[in-house]
Amino acid sequence: MTLPSVTLAWIALLGLSAATVLVTTGGTGHFSPALFGGLLLLLAFIKARIILSRYLGLWQAPAWLSGFSWVIGFFCLLLLVLYVAPGLSL
């Protein structure tokens, strides 16, 4: 028996949410702040891609999925730079 793609997406989102909880409960004690922020943003990016592709059906329109992925990727990168920038001393 194969599961529908929406069910698999839900299971993946559940696992990624559990990973997010594990990362945040570990806090910055185990990771540097930049790595901590990067891990959280990476998990958020992956969850956004799953939601866009499976729940909104953009897997049927690869060009749109690619465009949204680029925009979300650049936004996550901007957030990471803004998160890390105050700690940098030039």
Side-chain angles (χ1 to χ4, degrees):
M1 178 176 109
T2 59
L3 295 173
S5 64
V6 174
T7 304
L8 291 175
W10 181 80
I11 292 169
L13 288 171
L14 192 63
L16 288 168
S17 295
T20 303
V21 169
L22 291 174
V23 169
T24 55
T25 55
T28 57
H30 299 292
F31 306 111
S32 69
L35 182 61
F36 179 72
L39 281 172
L40 289 179
L41 286 171
L42 179 65
L43 289 168
F45 175 75
I46 294 170
K47 288 193 284 188
R49 286 251 322 152
I50 290 172
I51 291 168
L52 285 171
S53 66
R54 294 299 166 189
Y55 284 109
L56 296 180
L58 288 182
W59 63 273
Q60 296 173 337
W64 281 96
L65 180 60
S66 176
F68 275 112
S69 296
W70 276 100
V71 169
I72 292 172
F74 282 129
F75 183 69
C76 286
L77 188 61
L78 173 68
L79 289 177
L80 183 62
V81 167
L82 290 174
Y83 177 72
V84 173
L88 297 176
S89 58
L90 298 174

